[in-house]
Amino acid sequence: MAIERNELKQPSLGGLGQRLVNVGALKPEYVAEAQHHASRAGKSLVSYLAHEKIIDPLVLAEAASEEFATPVLDLNTFDLAGYAPLDEVSDSLIRKLRALPLYRRAKTLYVAICDPMNQQVLDEFKFNTGYKVLPIVVEYDKLERVLDSESSAIDSAVEGLSKLSSNSTQLEEEDEDLDDIDHDQEDGPVVQFVHKVLRDAIKRGASDIHFEPYERTYRVRVRKDGVLRELNKNPPADIGNRLGARLKVMARLDLAERRVPQDGRLKLRLSRNSEIDFRVSTCPTLHGEKVVLRILDPASARMGIEQLGYEDDQRQLFEETIHRPYGMVLVTGPTGSGKTVSLYTALNILNTEDRNISTAEDPAEINLAGINQVNVHPRVGLTFPVCLRAFLRQDPDVIMVGEIRDLETAEIAVKAAQTGHMVLSTLHTNNAPQTLSRLVNMGVAGYNIASTVSLIIAQRLARKLCRHCKQPADIPKYALLEEGFSEDELDSLKLYEANRDGCDHCSNGYNGRIGIYETLPLSEDMGRLIMEGGTGHDLEKKARAEGVLSLHQAGLKKVRAGVLDLAEVKRVTID
């Protein structure tokens, strides 16, 4: 009976606990105590033991691997730089979840984690990537070292630049000939810093990187969701020339020429199967060359139209128009409003075996397989008009012109649309009706505009509210009425605004951007008004009478849906 009583006093250890006892890692009573504390903390036994660091990491990883039939991996033997798809998930999410994406195959993402049964972490990765997520067990101490090194990569790179600055005895002066620098022996900290900044910008989902020299400081800023933000730590000012030279070497630009702007491209290899292109632009300033890199993400060119933010009726109109055999579709808006993405989306929809598509761009931002892309080069005489004339002799079906800048380009584009081709292009105007006035002011005849222009799309990009932390907005009724909401909808209207403190999923309450669109089909009445010499105001008044939503009105629809807040719509639109 005594033996039976002792057996009754033995704690219930569970499978993992018993494995740890069997290998001599912990005594039964310690396992029971750990289980008790883990339960009170709302954690699993693996997570608790890893957090408290009271057991050998390798023993815990092997026990968890055997218990939950999950593979185990030694992180020290894995080539993170060559394989890890770190651009799939934001840095903030990786640090929050304390787990690391290791490898992606098709639609499956393998994630390094200490506790393979932590379903919350796996679900977060699945939600943020859309992939099936499978866990790989790793030792908690090695995982922590990798995560800490990734999060402090920029800071450590800046520290390396600071040491280089303080130890250097022959720093470049403002009038130094950078062509004399031995770039085969270039400073390791400079290379490391540039590489880390580029990778970090890609992982953040940024669109541009600015390297800016000033008299006593040097600033690096990254544009994400349309807003520029400065790095937490900036490099020393006296390293600026070396950073600019390094970027010019990577882009294969002329190092000796610092008096005029230069343009180039560079590639950054993220893994064996992943490369990102950058468009590089230099500009001489008072204190050195400013360098701006535009990140050219091929995924944006393959983005489906359903992801761009068109309302259902706008999307239907857009797709019906671009499938017509001839006509002209114009996309308008300021720089950075997403015009190129809209055009590339249309080209991808039209890119079939039975169509010959040619584009003239300045420059071609993203390579599109199956489409004949030409970079204009005015210095050698390869201008937009020259490209268009060549295209018309090459049996085209669809022609895309990067921008209509002058009367000559406009007239050739009109001629192409009149002779049985679909022409896509852009203009810089504030809204869709003003585009028609702009063409008239260029000198295009009103009857040519009325007979060729099929659709005009004005657009803006607005920052989306973070769905994890957005909060209800309390806006006075009179302000809502002034913005364009109706009296009838005020009582049932539920609006949201950004949480300025943000969360792990966003930046100051915003996460990602979405398009706001004004889609203007050219009706017979509108064409008649153009030929009669109607002003921009007349055209806009006619568009509203025909039910075309202004950019501001289109933005309000997304405010009603809880996608945008009113402050963001007011920031990017003018009613």
Side-chain angles (χ1 to χ4, degrees):
M1 295 295 292
I3 295 175
E4 292 177 1
R5 281 196 299 271
N6 287 338
E7 287 176 349
L8 289 173
K9 291 179 182 178
Q10 290 294 325
S12 175
L13 301 181
L16 177 64
Q18 191 61 58
R19 286 183 185 276
L20 294 173
V21 171
N22 292 344
V23 298
L26 288 175
K27 294 181 179 181
E29 56 269 27
Y30 292 161
V31 173
E33 183 180 352
Q35 286 177 330
H36 172 70
H37 288 299
S39 178
R40 290 188 61 183
K43 297 180 178 180
S44 69
L45 181 59
V46 178
S47 294
Y48 177 79
L49 292 174
H51 182 267
E52 295 299 322
K53 297 179 173 60
I54 56 178
I55 188 173
D56 182 84
L58 180 58
V59 172
L60 180 60
E62 290 178 342
S65 172
E66 292 176 5
E67 177 64 25
F68 303 118
T70 305
V72 65
L73 173 72
D74 181 358
L75 271 180
N76 288 347
T77 65
F78 187 77
D79 180 13
L80 286 170
Y83 290 97
L86 298 179
D87 55 324
E88 299 280 1
V89 186
S90 68
D91 280 348
S92 59
L93 186 64
I94 291 174
R95 289 195 292 270
K96 172 192 171 187
L97 300 178
R98 307 309 292 174
L100 187 71
L102 283 177
Y103 185 73
R104 180 171 68 82
R105 176 176 293 171
K107 291 295 183 180
T108 301
L109 183 69
Y110 297 89
V111 175
I113 191 171
C114 297
D115 181 8
M117 299 306 289
N118 193 333
Q119 196 59 44
Q120 180 181 355
V121 170
L122 301 179
D123 287 343
E124 285 271 11
F125 274 103
K126 181 178 179 180
F127 175 80
N128 281 275
T129 63
Y131 300 136
K132 177 183 177 182
V133 178
L134 295 179
I136 303 291
V137 179
V138 295
E139 298 154 74
Y140 62 76
D141 60 334
K142 293 178 181 178
L143 179 60
E144 290 297 315
R145 280 198 297 270
V146 171
L147 292 175
D148 290 342
S149 65
E150 283 295 320
S151 63
S152 62
I154 295 293
D155 291 347
S156 62
V158 172
E159 290 174 6
L161 289 179
S162 300
K163 293 177 182 177
L164 176 64
S165 173
S166 60
N167 294 335
S168 179
T169 57
Q170 292 182 339
L171 295 176
E172 294 87 353
E173 297 297 330
E174 183 176 356
D175 59 349
E176 180 191 9
D177 185 1
L178 290 179
D179 197 35
D180 293 337
I181 297 176
D182 185 359
H183 294 283
D184 292 331
Q185 303 285 330
E186 184 148 21
D187 307 301
V190 172
V191 177
Q192 182 190 31
F193 177 79
V194 170
H195 183 78
K196 294 298 184 184
V197 168
L198 300 191
R199 287 185 66 96
D200 184 67
I202 293 168
K203 288 192 287 183
R204 289 189 191 187
S207 60
D208 301 88
I209 312 169
H210 293 237
F211 294 84
E212 303 169 318
Y214 297 96
E215 185 175 6
R216 293 184 175 85
T217 60
Y218 194 92
R219 182 170 66 174
V220 180
R221 292 189 291 174
V222 175
R223 186 182 297 277
K224 183 179 185 299
D225 295 338
V227 178
L228 278 170
R229 298 196 181 278
E230 196 170 336
L231 288 186
N232 291 332
K233 288 187 178 181
N234 279 307
D238 49 19
I239 301 295
N241 281 344
R242 299 189 186 188
L243 291 173
R246 174 60 187 169
L247 291 165
K248 290 174 74 173
V249 167
M250 294 173 69
R252 299 181 179 180
L253 300 178
D254 185 356
L255 283 172
E257 181 56 78
R258 291 187 291 162
R259 298 167 299 175
V260 296
Q262 297 186 65
D263 294 305
R265 294 174 78 104
L266 66 86
K267 285 181 182 288
L268 180 66
R269 185 166 186 160
L270 299 177
S271 65
R272 291 189 177 183
N273 300 316
S274 176
E275 286 184 336
I276 296 291
D277 284 349
F278 295 81
R279 190 178 73 203
V280 182
S281 173
T282 71
C283 183
T285 69
L286 288 177
H287 305 291
E289 284 183 290
K290 175 179 177 178
V291 184
V292 176
L293 280 68
R294 166 65 57 88
I295 301 174
L296 307 176
D297 184 5
S300 64
R302 296 189 296 269
M303 191 180 294
I305 190 172
E306 63 280 353
Q307 298 175 263
L308 298 184
Y310 284 95
E311 304 296 336
D312 291 340
D313 56 334
Q314 294 176 333
R315 173 183 169 183
Q316 182 179 355
L317 178 61
F318 179 60
E319 291 188 294
E320 286 178 354
T321 305
I322 63 174
H323 278 99
R324 293 179 185 176
Y326 56 88
M328 184 184 293
V329 175
L330 298 173
V331 182
T332 182
T335 301
S337 60
K339 301 187 298 296
T340 301
V341 173
S342 290
L343 289 178
Y344 278 15
T345 300
L347 292 177
N348 272 319
I349 294 173
L350 297 172
N351 189 13
T352 56
E353 184 182 357
D354 59 339
R355 287 191 180 94
N356 177 23
I357 303 176
S358 297
T359 73
E361 304 172 67
D362 185 22
E365 295 196 358
I366 298 171
N367 297 330
L368 299 175
I371 294 177
N372 308 290
Q373 296 175 270
V374 177
N375 275 332
V376 299
H377 199 330
R379 288 186 179 180
V380 299
L382 187 61
T383 60
F384 281 123
V386 170
C387 289
L388 283 174
R389 291 191 185 95
F391 291 163
L392 290 174
R393 293 192 291 269
Q394 296 219 328
D395 186 29
D397 295 299
V398 179
I399 295 173
M400 194 268 272
V401 187
E403 182 183 351
I404 294 178
R405 298 175 177 172
D406 51 46
L407 177 59
E408 185 180 11
T409 306
E411 288 181 335
I412 300 173
V414 165
K415 178 182 176 183
Q418 289 175 331
T419 54
H421 308 96
M422 173 53 66
V423 179
L424 311 176
S425 190
T426 70
L427 277 171
H428 288 280
T429 58
N430 290 328
N431 59 28
Q434 286 185 12
T435 305
L436 298 169
S437 299
R438 173 74 186 282
L439 290 173
V440 172
N441 292 337
M442 276 186 179
V444 181
Y447 60 85
N448 281 335
I449 298 173
S451 63
T452 57
V453 177
S454 305
L455 177 67
I456 301 174
I457 302 172
Q459 65 180 73
R460 300 290 188 275
L461 287 178
R463 294 176 295 171
K464 293 191 296 183
L465 288 171
C466 173
R467 61 184 189 83
H468 296 281
C469 68
K470 65 181 181 181
Q471 53 195 20
D474 184 16
I475 303 174
K477 287 188 176 181
Y478 74 86
L480 296 176
L481 291 172
E482 288 179 356
E483 290 300 329
F485 293 99
S486 66
E487 184 80 45
D488 297 337
E489 65 180 324
L490 292 185
D491 291 335
S492 60
L493 201 59
K494 188 173 183 180
L495 304 182
Y496 294 89
E497 64 183 2
N499 175 8
R500 298 300 177 178
D501 294 329
C503 67
D504 292 329
H505 301 274
C506 68
S507 175
N508 300 112
Y510 298 101
N511 185 14
R513 290 193 291 178
I514 194 169
I516 301 174
Y517 302 93
E518 177 186 17
T519 51
L520 173 64
L522 207 66
S523 64
E524 291 184 6
D525 290 342
M526 188 75 73
R528 191 177 302 112
L529 185 58
I530 295 169
M531 289 186 286
E532 292 172 355
T535 65
H537 178 72
D538 296 331
L539 294 169
E540 187 166 352
K541 189 175 179 180
K542 183 63 179 176
R544 303 296 166 253
E546 293 182 352
V548 177
L549 295 180
S550 69
L551 284 166
H552 188 79
Q553 292 168 338
L556 293 185
K557 294 190 73 170
K558 289 181 169 58
V559 173
R560 293 183 183 96
V563 177
L564 303 176
D565 63 4
L566 194 55
E568 183 66 6
V569 171
K570 291 176 68 175
R571 184 181 73 87
V572 300
T573 67
I574 300 174
D575 198 16

